[in-house]
Amino acid sequence: MSVTILGPLSGAGEKLALYSFRIPAGFPSPAADHIEKHISLDEIFDIRAPHVYLAKIEGESMQDAGIFCGDLVIVDRSLNAEHGDIVIAGLNSEPICKRLHMRDNTIILLSANSKYPPRYVMEGDELVIWGVVTYSVRDHGKP
């Protein structure tokens, strides 16, 4: 799985309408009187620029975690990566997205797809955590 860093997000975004009713698939156009408030995607995704950036995921190794090829992930580099977090990292300068496993002085980068083996961080390897994945965004408009 490879990762393409797209860059930081700006700190302020446009406010969008948040509707106060649940929306079943195939809903009719919502009426203006159901608007609860206006919020921004910055608020929804808890974006705190400049600590947050976007990365595009390529590959299928994280699909069982709900991260698919072509997805954008929102990455917070201000968070300390902990056991179980999904991280964007550089392993020997190779950008990757994996689940971080840290137990008993052993670090393993785990895929979320049984087709891909775990990557053990060995003595002499260089591992740099570039941030913790907080959200993923999928484009449903493409087949």
Side-chain angles (χ1 to χ4, degrees), residues 50-66:
H51 305 293
V52 177
Y53 65 91
L54 291 175
K56 186 173 184 177
I57 302 298
E58 297 297 331
E60 301 173 341
S61 71
M62 295 303 291
Q63 69 184 17
D64 291 346

Side-chain angles (χ1 to χ4, degrees), residues 21-94:
F21 55 89
R22 296 188 185 267
I23 302 173
F27 73 98
S29 296
D33 60 346
H34 289 284
I35 295 176
E36 183 176 319
K37 64 180 181 174
H38 285 83
I39 60 173
S40 73
L41 292 178
D42 295 353
E43 293 170 9
I44 292 172
F45 294 133
D46 193 27
I47 294 171
R48 298 177 315 276
H51 305 293
V52 177
Y53 65 91
L54 291 175
K56 186 173 184 177
I57 302 298
E58 297 297 331
E60 301 173 341
S61 71
M62 295 303 291
Q63 69 184 17
D64 291 346
I67 300 173
F68 297 90
C69 186
D71 283 359
L72 294 176
V73 290
I74 298 172
V75 184
D76 190 332
R77 60 188 171 132
S78 72
L79 298 175
N80 288 324
E82 299 179 359
H83 174 79
D85 284 343
I86 295 174
V87 298
I88 301 296
L91 180 59
N92 301 322
S93 299
E94 175 191 352

